[in-house]
Amino acid sequence: MFAAVLTVLYPLAIWFGQGLVEPRWLAALLLLAALLRLPSLAISRVARWAAAGAVALAMCAVWANALLPLKLYPVLVNAALLAAFGYSLTTPVSMVERFARMREPELPAAAIRYTRCVTQAWCAFFIVNGAIAFGTAVWASDAVWSLYTGVIAYLLMGLLFAGEYLLSVRFKRLHHA
């Protein structure tokens, strides 16, 4: 739970810490985020790569005492989620289908096709969100980067999730009636 809170608040912590704390010390937040994810590392190859990427970004920030590697962490998170969701599209059971089966173990064929489309939509979101996070990290002000990665990206993710939920309710009503 603390790992999720730290991940959500990370962009704001970086923004508020800049100018007050050297980037090499802010890198401790990224290392803490990676360490808090250790329990999931045994389960997921993507989680291991993401943790290794977080450690590499933190080490770059420490070595160069630069903020940019720390600002690239949201890009890494989007890339890891894209890898997990995208890889699941190459398997018989997509990521969203796995989530759906937690609530409803027996899914009809139409629902399986629907969950595959939703997984594809999330992949598209992670591509666009990661690209915007990269663009704001490299070319925008620190305030714009923090606003996008710490507020707007989460609002967009929430809107996508809410929209998908409403569509799934409609889908169930149409296909189970």
Side-chain angles (χ1 to χ4, degrees), residues 6 10 26-36 54-56 58-59 62:
L6 179 61
Y10 177 82
L26 289 172
L29 288 174
L30 193 48
L31 288 173
L32 180 60
L35 289 174
L36 290 172
V55 169
M59 292 296 103
V62 168

Side-chain angles (χ1 to χ4, degrees), residues 100-125:
R101 286 187 183 277
M102 289 178 195
R103 295 183 116 170
E104 195 175 327
E106 296 299 320
L107 292 175
I112 293 170
R113 286 189 301 275
Y114 172 78
T115 58
R116 189 161 285 278
C117 289
V118 173
T119 302
Q120 292 169 345
W122 277 103
C123 287
F125 174 81

